[in-house]
mmCIF file with all atom_site columns, all heavy atoms in Angstrom:
data_model
loop_
_atom_site.group_PDB
_atom_site.id
_atom_site.type_symbol
_atom_site.label_atom_id
_atom_site.label_alt_id
_atom_site.label_comp_id
_atom_site.label_asym_id
_atom_site.label_entity_id
_atom_site.label_seq_id
_atom_site.pdbx_PDB_ins_code
_atom_site.Cartn_x
_atom_site.Cartn_y
_atom_site.Cartn_z
_atom_site.occupancy
_atom_site.B_iso_or_equiv
_atom_site.pdbx_formal_charge
_atom_site.auth_seq_id
_atom_site.auth_comp_id
_atom_site.auth_asym_id
_atom_site.auth_atom_id
_atom_site.pdbx_PDB_model_num
ATOM 1   N N   . LEU A 1 37 ? 4.118   -20.199 7.420  1.00 97.00 ? 60 LEU A N   1
ATOM 2   C CA  . LEU A 1 37 ? 3.659   -18.829 7.643  1.00 97.00 ? 60 LEU A CA  1
ATOM 3   C C   . LEU A 1 37 ? 2.931   -18.674 8.972  1.00 97.00 ? 60 LEU A C   1
ATOM 4   O O   . LEU A 1 37 ? 3.051   -17.641 9.636  1.00 97.00 ? 60 LEU A O   1
ATOM 5   C CB  . LEU A 1 37 ? 2.737   -18.386 6.505  1.00 97.00 ? 60 LEU A CB  1
ATOM 6   C CG  . LEU A 1 37 ? 3.380   -18.242 5.128  1.00 97.00 ? 60 LEU A CG  1
ATOM 7   C CD1 . LEU A 1 37 ? 2.308   -18.036 4.065  1.00 97.00 ? 60 LEU A CD1 1
ATOM 8   C CD2 . LEU A 1 37 ? 4.379   -17.102 5.117  1.00 97.00 ? 60 LEU A CD2 1
ATOM 9   N N   . ALA A 1 38 ? 2.190   -19.705 9.367  1.00 96.00 ? 61 ALA A N   1
ATOM 10  C CA  . ALA A 1 38 ? 1.382   -19.638 10.592 1.00 96.00 ? 61 ALA A CA  1
ATOM 11  C C   . ALA A 1 38 ? 2.212   -19.817 11.858 1.00 96.00 ? 61 ALA A C   1
ATOM 12  O O   . ALA A 1 38 ? 1.792   -19.375 12.934 1.00 96.00 ? 61 ALA A O   1
ATOM 13  C CB  . ALA A 1 38 ? 0.289   -20.695 10.538 1.00 96.00 ? 61 ALA A CB  1
ATOM 14  N N   . LYS A 1 39 ? 3.369   -20.445 11.743 1.00 95.00 ? 62 LYS A N   1
ATOM 15  C CA  . LYS A 1 39 ? 4.171   -20.797 12.914 1.00 95.00 ? 62 LYS A CA  1
ATOM 16  C C   . LYS A 1 39 ? 4.409   -19.644 13.899 1.00 95.00 ? 62 LYS A C   1
ATOM 17  O O   . LYS A 1 39 ? 4.239   -19.827 15.104 1.00 95.00 ? 62 LYS A O   1
ATOM 18  C CB  . LYS A 1 39 ? 5.507   -21.396 12.470 1.00 95.00 ? 62 LYS A CB  1
ATOM 19  C CG  . LYS A 1 39 ? 6.283   -22.057 13.594 1.00 95.00 ? 62 LYS A CG  1
ATOM 20  C CD  . LYS A 1 39 ? 7.541   -22.704 13.069 1.00 95.00 ? 62 LYS A CD  1
ATOM 21  C CE  . LYS A 1 39 ? 7.170   -24.053 12.482 1.00 95.00 ? 62 LYS A CE  1
ATOM 22  N NZ  . LYS A 1 39 ? 8.342   -24.856 12.104 1.00 95.00 ? 62 LYS A NZ  1
ATOM 23  N N   . PRO A 1 40 ? 4.783   -18.444 13.458 1.00 94.00 ? 63 PRO A N   1
ATOM 24  C CA  . PRO A 1 40 ? 5.074   -17.377 14.428 1.00 94.00 ? 63 PRO A CA  1
ATOM 25  C C   . PRO A 1 40 ? 3.851   -16.763 15.123 1.00 94.00 ? 63 PRO A C   1
ATOM 26  O O   . PRO A 1 40 ? 4.002   -15.979 16.041 1.00 94.00 ? 63 PRO A O   1
ATOM 27  C CB  . PRO A 1 40 ? 5.776   -16.296 13.597 1.00 94.00 ? 63 PRO A CB  1
ATOM 28  C CG  . PRO A 1 40 ? 5.893   -16.787 12.216 1.00 94.00 ? 63 PRO A CG  1
ATOM 29  C CD  . PRO A 1 40 ? 5.120   -18.049 12.099 1.00 94.00 ? 63 PRO A CD  1
ATOM 30  N N   . PHE A 1 41 ? 2.663   -17.135 14.689 1.00 95.00 ? 64 PHE A N   1
ATOM 31  C CA  . PHE A 1 41 ? 1.459   -16.492 15.219 1.00 95.00 ? 64 PHE A CA  1
ATOM 32  C C   . PHE A 1 41 ? 0.739   -17.394 16.205 1.00 95.00 ? 64 PHE A C   1
ATOM 33  O O   . PHE A 1 41 ? 0.614   -18.593 15.992 1.00 95.00 ? 64 PHE A O   1
ATOM 34  C CB  . PHE A 1 41 ? 0.516   -16.105 14.077 1.00 95.00 ? 64 PHE A CB  1
ATOM 35  C CG  . PHE A 1 41 ? 1.169   -15.182 13.089 1.00 95.00 ? 64 PHE A CG  1
ATOM 36  C CD1 . PHE A 1 41 ? 1.649   -15.672 11.886 1.00 95.00 ? 64 PHE A CD1 1
ATOM 37  C CD2 . PHE A 1 41 ? 1.324   -13.841 13.376 1.00 95.00 ? 64 PHE A CD2 1
ATOM 38  C CE1 . PHE A 1 41 ? 2.270   -14.836 10.980 1.00 95.00 ? 64 PHE A CE1 1
ATOM 39  C CE2 . PHE A 1 41 ? 1.942   -12.990 12.477 1.00 95.00 ? 64 PHE A CE2 1
ATOM 40  C CZ  . PHE A 1 41 ? 2.418   -13.485 11.281 1.00 95.00 ? 64 PHE A CZ  1
ATOM 41  N N   . ASP A 1 42 ? 0.247   -16.774 17.266 1.00 93.00 ? 65 ASP A N   1
ATOM 42  C CA  . ASP A 1 42 ? -0.469  -17.512 18.297 1.00 93.00 ? 65 ASP A CA  1
ATOM 43  C C   . ASP A 1 42 ? -1.964  -17.480 17.985 1.00 93.00 ? 65 ASP A C   1
ATOM 44  O O   . ASP A 1 42 ? -2.728  -16.747 18.604 1.00 93.00 ? 65 ASP A O   1
ATOM 45  C CB  . ASP A 1 42 ? -0.184  -16.888 19.670 1.00 93.00 ? 65 ASP A CB  1
ATOM 46  C CG  . ASP A 1 42 ? -0.791  -17.687 20.806 1.00 93.00 ? 65 ASP A CG  1
ATOM 47  O OD1 . ASP A 1 42 ? -0.965  -18.909 20.644 1.00 93.00 ? 65 ASP A OD1 1
ATOM 48  O OD2 . ASP A 1 42 ? -1.096  -17.076 21.849 1.00 93.00 ? 65 ASP A OD2 1
ATOM 49  N N   . MET A 1 43 ? -2.334  -18.259 16.962 1.00 94.00 ? 66 MET A N   1
ATOM 50  C CA  . MET A 1 43 ? -3.750  -18.352 16.605 1.00 94.00 ? 66 MET A CA  1
ATOM 51  C C   . MET A 1 43 ? -4.017  -19.711 15.973 1.00 94.00 ? 66 MET A C   1
ATOM 52  O O   . MET A 1 43 ? -3.098  -20.371 15.474 1.00 94.00 ? 66 MET A O   1
ATOM 53  C CB  . MET A 1 43 ? -4.176  -17.212 15.673 1.00 94.00 ? 66 MET A CB  1
ATOM 54  C CG  . MET A 1 43 ? -3.571  -17.214 14.291 1.00 94.00 ? 66 MET A CG  1
ATOM 55  S SD  . MET A 1 43 ? -4.192  -15.881 13.223 1.00 94.00 ? 66 MET A SD  1
ATOM 56  C CE  . MET A 1 43 ? -3.402  -14.463 13.923 1.00 94.00 ? 66 MET A CE  1
ATOM 57  N N   . ALA A 1 44 ? -5.268  -20.117 16.034 1.00 95.00 ? 67 ALA A N   1
ATOM 58  C CA  . ALA A 1 44 ? -5.666  -21.393 15.443 1.00 95.00 ? 67 ALA A CA  1
ATOM 59  C C   . ALA A 1 44 ? -5.534  -21.307 13.920 1.00 95.00 ? 67 ALA A C   1
ATOM 60  O O   . ALA A 1 44 ? -5.672  -20.228 13.329 1.00 95.00 ? 67 ALA A O   1
ATOM 61  C CB  . ALA A 1 44 ? -7.107  -21.718 15.828 1.00 95.00 ? 67 ALA A CB  1
ATOM 62  N N   . LEU A 1 45 ? -5.263  -22.439 13.305 1.00 94.00 ? 68 LEU A N   1
ATOM 63  C CA  . LEU A 1 45 ? -5.074  -22.482 11.853 1.00 94.00 ? 68 LEU A CA  1
ATOM 64  C C   . LEU A 1 45 ? -6.290  -21.942 11.086 1.00 94.00 ? 68 LEU A C   1
ATOM 65  O O   . LEU A 1 45 ? -6.114  -21.188 10.126 1.00 94.00 ? 68 LEU A O   1
ATOM 66  C CB  . LEU A 1 45 ? -4.712  -23.895 11.391 1.00 94.00 ? 68 LEU A CB  1
ATOM 67  C CG  . LEU A 1 45 ? -4.242  -24.006 9.947  1.00 94.00 ? 68 LEU A CG  1
ATOM 68  C CD1 . LEU A 1 45 ? -3.034  -23.113 9.681  1.00 94.00 ? 68 LEU A CD1 1
ATOM 69  C CD2 . LEU A 1 45 ? -3.917  -25.450 9.612  1.00 94.00 ? 68 LEU A CD2 1
ATOM 70  N N   . PRO A 1 46 ? -7.537  -22.263 11.488 1.00 95.00 ? 69 PRO A N   1
ATOM 71  C CA  . PRO A 1 46 ? -8.683  -21.694 10.764 1.00 95.00 ? 69 PRO A CA  1
ATOM 72  C C   . PRO A 1 46 ? -8.698  -20.154 10.804 1.00 95.00 ? 69 PRO A C   1
ATOM 73  O O   . PRO A 1 46 ? -9.045  -19.512 9.806  1.00 95.00 ? 69 PRO A O   1
ATOM 74  C CB  . PRO A 1 46 ? -9.904  -22.269 11.476 1.00 95.00 ? 69 PRO A CB  1
ATOM 75  C CG  . PRO A 1 46 ? -9.411  -23.561 12.044 1.00 95.00 ? 69 PRO A CG  1
ATOM 76  C CD  . PRO A 1 46 ? -7.979  -23.289 12.453 1.00 95.00 ? 69 PRO A CD  1
ATOM 77  N N   . SER A 1 47 ? -8.303  -19.573 11.924 1.00 95.00 ? 70 SER A N   1
ATOM 78  C CA  . SER A 1 47 ? -8.229  -18.110 12.015 1.00 95.00 ? 70 SER A CA  1
ATOM 79  C C   . SER A 1 47 ? -7.130  -17.574 11.114 1.00 95.00 ? 70 SER A C   1
ATOM 80  O O   . SER A 1 47 ? -7.308  -16.551 10.437 1.00 95.00 ? 70 SER A O   1
ATOM 81  C CB  . SER A 1 47 ? -7.966  -17.676 13.452 1.00 95.00 ? 70 SER A CB  1
ATOM 82  O OG  . SER A 1 47 ? -9.033  -18.039 14.280 1.00 95.00 ? 70 SER A OG  1
ATOM 83  N N   . PHE A 1 48 ? -5.999  -18.248 11.082 1.00 96.00 ? 71 PHE A N   1
ATOM 84  C CA  . PHE A 1 48 ? -4.904  -17.818 10.225 1.00 96.00 ? 71 PHE A CA  1
ATOM 85  C C   . PHE A 1 48 ? -5.297  -17.935 8.756  1.00 96.00 ? 71 PHE A C   1
ATOM 86  O O   . PHE A 1 48 ? -4.940  -17.078 7.943  1.00 96.00 ? 71 PHE A O   1
ATOM 87  C CB  . PHE A 1 48 ? -3.635  -18.632 10.516 1.00 96.00 ? 71 PHE A CB  1
ATOM 88  C CG  . PHE A 1 48 ? -2.451  -18.151 9.742  1.00 96.00 ? 71 PHE A CG  1
ATOM 89  C CD1 . PHE A 1 48 ? -1.779  -17.008 10.115 1.00 96.00 ? 71 PHE A CD1 1
ATOM 90  C CD2 . PHE A 1 48 ? -2.019  -18.839 8.614  1.00 96.00 ? 71 PHE A CD2 1
ATOM 91  C CE1 . PHE A 1 48 ? -0.692  -16.538 9.389  1.00 96.00 ? 71 PHE A CE1 1
ATOM 92  C CE2 . PHE A 1 48 ? -0.936  -18.389 7.882  1.00 96.00 ? 71 PHE A CE2 1
ATOM 93  C CZ  . PHE A 1 48 ? -0.268  -17.239 8.271  1.00 96.00 ? 71 PHE A CZ  1
ATOM 94  N N   . MET A 1 49 ? -6.026  -18.969 8.418  1.00 96.00 ? 72 MET A N   1
ATOM 95  C CA  . MET A 1 49 ? -6.451  -19.169 7.031  1.00 96.00 ? 72 MET A CA  1
ATOM 96  C C   . MET A 1 49 ? -7.345  -18.026 6.547  1.00 96.00 ? 72 MET A C   1
ATOM 97  O O   . MET A 1 49 ? -7.348  -17.704 5.361  1.00 96.00 ? 72 MET A O   1
ATOM 98  C CB  . MET A 1 49 ? -7.169  -20.512 6.864  1.00 96.00 ? 72 MET A CB  1
ATOM 99  C CG  . MET A 1 49 ? -6.228  -21.706 6.871  1.00 96.00 ? 72 MET A CG  1
ATOM 100 S SD  . MET A 1 49 ? -4.938  -21.613 5.612  1.00 96.00 ? 72 MET A SD  1
ATOM 101 C CE  . MET A 1 49 ? -5.895  -21.676 4.106  1.00 96.00 ? 72 MET A CE  1
ATOM 102 N N   . LYS A 1 50 ? -8.079  -17.387 7.456  1.00 96.00 ? 73 LYS A N   1
ATOM 103 C CA  . LYS A 1 50 ? -8.881  -16.227 7.066  1.00 96.00 ? 73 LYS A CA  1
ATOM 104 C C   . LYS A 1 50 ? -7.970  -15.123 6.534  1.00 96.00 ? 73 LYS A C   1
ATOM 105 O O   . LYS A 1 50 ? -8.303  -14.450 5.563  1.00 96.00 ? 73 LYS A O   1
ATOM 106 C CB  . LYS A 1 50 ? -9.715  -15.724 8.239  1.00 96.00 ? 73 LYS A CB  1
ATOM 107 C CG  . LYS A 1 50 ? -10.849 -16.647 8.604  1.00 96.00 ? 73 LYS A CG  1
ATOM 108 C CD  . LYS A 1 50 ? -11.649 -16.102 9.762  1.00 96.00 ? 73 LYS A CD  1
ATOM 109 C CE  . LYS A 1 50 ? -12.754 -17.077 10.136 1.00 96.00 ? 73 LYS A CE  1
ATOM 110 N NZ  . LYS A 1 50 ? -13.550 -16.586 11.276 1.00 96.00 ? 73 LYS A NZ  1
ATOM 111 N N   . HIS A 1 51 ? -6.803  -14.955 7.157  1.00 96.00 ? 74 HIS A N   1
ATOM 112 C CA  . HIS A 1 51 ? -5.837  -13.968 6.688  1.00 96.00 ? 74 HIS A CA  1
ATOM 113 C C   . HIS A 1 51 ? -5.295  -14.358 5.307  1.00 96.00 ? 74 HIS A C   1
ATOM 114 O O   . HIS A 1 51 ? -5.156  -13.509 4.424  1.00 96.00 ? 74 HIS A O   1
ATOM 115 C CB  . HIS A 1 51 ? -4.679  -13.819 7.676  1.00 96.00 ? 74 HIS A CB  1
ATOM 116 C CG  . HIS A 1 51 ? -5.078  -13.163 8.957  1.00 96.00 ? 74 HIS A CG  1
ATOM 117 N ND1 . HIS A 1 51 ? -5.391  -11.828 9.047  1.00 96.00 ? 74 HIS A ND1 1
ATOM 118 C CD2 . HIS A 1 51 ? -5.209  -13.672 10.205 1.00 96.00 ? 74 HIS A CD2 1
ATOM 119 C CE1 . HIS A 1 51 ? -5.694  -11.533 10.295 1.00 96.00 ? 74 HIS A CE1 1
ATOM 120 N NE2 . HIS A 1 51 ? -5.596  -12.632 11.020 1.00 96.00 ? 74 HIS A NE2 1
ATOM 121 N N   . ILE A 1 52 ? -5.005  -15.635 5.147  1.00 96.00 ? 75 ILE A N   1
ATOM 122 C CA  . ILE A 1 52 ? -4.496  -16.120 3.856  1.00 96.00 ? 75 ILE A CA  1
ATOM 123 C C   . ILE A 1 52 ? -5.537  -15.889 2.762  1.00 96.00 ? 75 ILE A C   1
ATOM 124 O O   . ILE A 1 52 ? -5.217  -15.382 1.683  1.00 96.00 ? 75 ILE A O   1
ATOM 125 C CB  . ILE A 1 52 ? -4.095  -17.610 3.935  1.00 96.00 ? 75 ILE A CB  1
ATOM 126 C CG1 . ILE A 1 52 ? -2.927  -17.804 4.917  1.00 96.00 ? 75 ILE A CG1 1
ATOM 127 C CG2 . ILE A 1 52 ? -3.775  -18.180 2.560  1.00 96.00 ? 75 ILE A CG2 1
ATOM 128 C CD1 . ILE A 1 52 ? -1.662  -17.067 4.522  1.00 96.00 ? 75 ILE A CD1 1
ATOM 129 N N   . HIS A 1 53 ? -6.775  -16.225 3.050  1.00 95.00 ? 76 HIS A N   1
ATOM 130 C CA  . HIS A 1 53 ? -7.847  -16.031 2.062  1.00 95.00 ? 76 HIS A CA  1
ATOM 131 C C   . HIS A 1 53 ? -8.035  -14.541 1.745  1.00 95.00 ? 76 HIS A C   1
ATOM 132 O O   . HIS A 1 53 ? -8.254  -14.186 0.584  1.00 95.00 ? 76 HIS A O   1
ATOM 133 C CB  . HIS A 1 53 ? -9.156  -16.643 2.543  1.00 95.00 ? 76 HIS A CB  1
ATOM 134 C CG  . HIS A 1 53 ? -9.145  -18.139 2.572  1.00 95.00 ? 76 HIS A CG  1
ATOM 135 N ND1 . HIS A 1 53 ? -8.840  -18.912 1.473  1.00 95.00 ? 76 HIS A ND1 1
ATOM 136 C CD2 . HIS A 1 53 ? -9.378  -19.007 3.581  1.00 95.00 ? 76 HIS A CD2 1
ATOM 137 C CE1 . HIS A 1 53 ? -8.893  -20.192 1.808  1.00 95.00 ? 76 HIS A CE1 1
ATOM 138 N NE2 . HIS A 1 53 ? -9.214  -20.278 3.087  1.00 95.00 ? 76 HIS A NE2 1
#
Side-chain angles (χ1 to χ4, degrees):
L60 294 170
K62 192 176 279 188
F64 302 101
D65 186 27
M66 67 177 73
L68 191 57
S70 296
F71 185 77
M72 285 303 296
K73 289 180 182 179
H74 290 289
I75 296 298
H76 290 305

